[in-house]
Amino acid sequence: MTGTLTTDAPTDRVDSAGGGRRSTGATVARVLQRQGALLILAAVCVVAGIAFDNFATFGNFSAVAVQASFLAVVALGMTFVIMTAGIDLSVGSVFALGGVLAAWGSQHGALIGLLLPLAVCGLIGLVQGLIVARGGLPPFIVTLAGLLFARGLLLALSDEGATTYKVPEGSWFRQLAQGEFLGLGLTVWIVIILFLIGGVVLHRTTFGSTILAIGGQEDAADLMGLPVARTKVVAYLMCAMLAGLGGTMMASYTSSGVTVLGVGMELEVIAAVVLGGTLLTGGAGTVLGSLVGVLLLTVIKNVINMVGTLNSNWQAVVSGVILLVVVVAQRWLAKIERR
């Protein structure tokens, strides 16, 4: 919302000074550009609700929400990083590492199972952030190294995947993802709380304003005296910790540390964030949009599973086509809005 205010306010002033009004076409283009993913999600739900009797049921929606919650937690952190015009390719491996550490730690106490992955994954994010912000290295290279490091570390901990750590029976750690409240899984409530906090942080704090300013024009933000380097470090730290939390939730949900999870997850997370309207060039986007992007990808998977005759490979095909259409449409609508 801050991004909207900072980008729209000057335009409104110019229109007022010129005695003109924003054209209807530009207004429609603006709405479609920012809410395109939500409109597609609504259309998919309506069509699926008509086509499948068991789609529009509370049980199915609840299951979709739980499935989406793990990706949503990671997407929240990625949103902050992309808004700084950065990228984090390590989230998939950090997600899997967090799960393995959580399952191993839970054998020594539920609290250790919760805190250990957050500490280790946070340390990885902190190092990546320092190298990107203080060292000036490209985020793509730094986080690619982080991807390899985290994947190698989890394979070393699990003896090349031969050892699977189990969460002990009776541990309250299992309730983190397997419990319910008001009919919804606890992971869904965790996502709701995290996104509410993320929305407040991004749109109502100086930190959030600095994130958007860095993505808009980093040099200008630096000249304004904003804490550019520190903010970028915190963004990468948050992203890694949320990826670790997502892995922790998955370990609780499956009651084990699964080493093969998270492969290619970074691309799915980036796709969800971009589908939600966050620009890869930074400086614009919302956490709510990223949540809509995650839900859209998850609903597509759900619909394809209901079709039955299509295998899981079609999920990636459909998701890729929708992502391409949305990105092209956003660029086209942006041109209309600027006219």
Side-chain angles (χ1 to χ4, degrees), residues 134-145:
R134 301 291 185 187
L137 269 67
F140 177 86
I141 300 299
V142 175
T143 56
L144 181 60

Side-chain angles (χ1 to χ4, degrees), residues 151-229:
R151 182 64 61 180
L153 182 57
L154 82 87
L155 289 176
L157 291 173
S158 62
D159 190 20
E160 298 292 329
T163 303
T164 300
Y165 299 105
K166 299 286 186 181
V167 179
E169 292 281 351
S171 172
W172 64 260
F173 180 80
R174 293 193 177 201
Q175 294 302 312
L176 179 67
Q178 297 180 10
E180 290 188 354
F181 179 66
L182 297 178
L184 290 176
L186 290 182
T187 57
V188 179
W189 291 107
I190 291 173
V191 168
I192 292 173
I193 293 171
L194 287 176
F195 271 78
L196 286 174
I197 295 173
V200 171
V201 169
L202 182 62
H203 304 308
R204 290 289 184 269
T205 66
T206 303
F207 174 77
S209 301
T210 306
I211 288 278
L212 291 165
I214 292 172
Q217 195 169 3
E218 184 171 336
D219 292 339
D222 195 29
L223 288 173
M224 292 170 62
L226 297 175
V228 173

